[in-house]
Amino acid sequence: NHGAWNKYKVGDSMLVWGITGSEEKVYAVAYDISVGGNKVVIARISNNQLSIDGETTLTDNNGSYNGKFEPSKLWLNNGKLYTAWHKISEAKILSGGNVDPSSWQTVLSLPAGQYFVNSFLQTSKNIFVDGYPNLLYHYNGTDWKNITISAATQGGEYSAVWTDGKEVIVCDRQNGIIYHGK
């Protein structure tokens, strides 16, 4: 605001790992990095106020992974909020901007040992999410499809993806490689 910055504290021991927004509503996802930390929150900034719009734990008492939403990557698409890490989860955004806490659902699960690192939303019908190992998914507005890069080096961690709708660039951080496809 004309060079003035506001500061919003999400909580003690909370690492903010994803942020997204539209118009005057901004959403962030953060997780507890304290010893034994297990809490993940969705925060919302609206009218210069921070509120917590959702909370989950990543694991249950038996250590099984079961969070409603993920502690990483965050984006908005067609009135829904998405998180990605070991799965992609979505929730509806209500008319006032709040996240509907009862609407969280898993839209794509990954096998053990795989996780998402980054995402890129070019349009609501052209979304890419990438990760480890050699993990690249595309959303066409209806379905998620796993994409295999035939020239890829095994064991890569795709850490960034970009598209203009005609070409796709994927960075493999693990191997120092950039892949380009059409």
Side-chain angles (χ1 to χ4, degrees):
N1 183 12
H2 305 289
W5 289 85
N6 295 327
K7 179 168 68 172
Y8 304 97
K9 185 170 181 154
V10 176
D12 292 330
S13 302
M14 298 300 284
L15 174 66
V16 179
W17 201 353
I19 192 163
T20 190
S22 66
E23 299 170 13
E24 294 184 13
K25 295 170 188 74
V26 175
Y27 302 87
V29 63
Y31 75 98
D32 186 353
I33 59 171
S34 65
V35 174
N38 194 21
K39 179 171 74 170
V40 180
V41 300
I42 298 289
R44 179 172 51 97
I45 301 170
S46 182
N47 298 321
N48 292 323
Q49 297 293 315
L50 179 111
S51 61
I52 302 300
D53 260 19
E55 185 175 315
T56 190
T57 55
L58 290 178
T59 58
D60 60 21
N61 292 336
N62 298 323
S64 298
Y65 188 85
N66 69 345
K68 290 188 291 185
F69 51 85
E70 300 296 284
S72 182
K73 309 314 147 231
L74 190 68
W75 70 91
L76 286 171
N77 185 30
N78 288 332
K80 295 181 181 175
L81 185 67
Y82 292 83
T83 63
W85 190 32
H86 290 291
K87 62 183 178 181
I88 296 176
S89 301
E90 73 174 16
K92 295 175 187 171
I93 302 294
L94 301 172
S95 61
N98 292 28
V99 177
D100 181 349
S102 65
S103 69
W104 282 106
Q105 63 178 340
T106 300
V107 295
L108 177 65
S109 294
L110 294 175
Q114 294 184 348
Y115 56 86
F116 291 113
V117 174
N118 211 339
S119 61
F120 185 82
L121 172 79
Q122 195 249 343
T123 69
S124 64
K125 294 181 179 182
N126 197 18
I127 302 171
F128 285 90
V129 183
D130 63 3
Y132 176 85
N134 296 58
L135 193 62
L136 181 63
Y137 276 83
H138 178 257
Y139 181 70
N140 64 8
T142 305
D143 299 310
W144 288 96
K145 181 179 180 187
N146 188 358
I147 297 178
T148 301
I149 298 175
S150 59
T153 302
Q154 291 299 313
E157 180 178 309
Y158 299 164
S159 57
V161 60
W162 173 88
T163 185
D164 64 359
K166 297 176 185 167
E167 302 180 71
V168 180
I169 307 278
V170 177
C171 298
D172 179 348
R173 178 179 75 150
Q174 197 79 14
N175 296 300
I177 298 170
I178 296 172
Y179 299 106
H180 176 223
K182 294 183 180 186

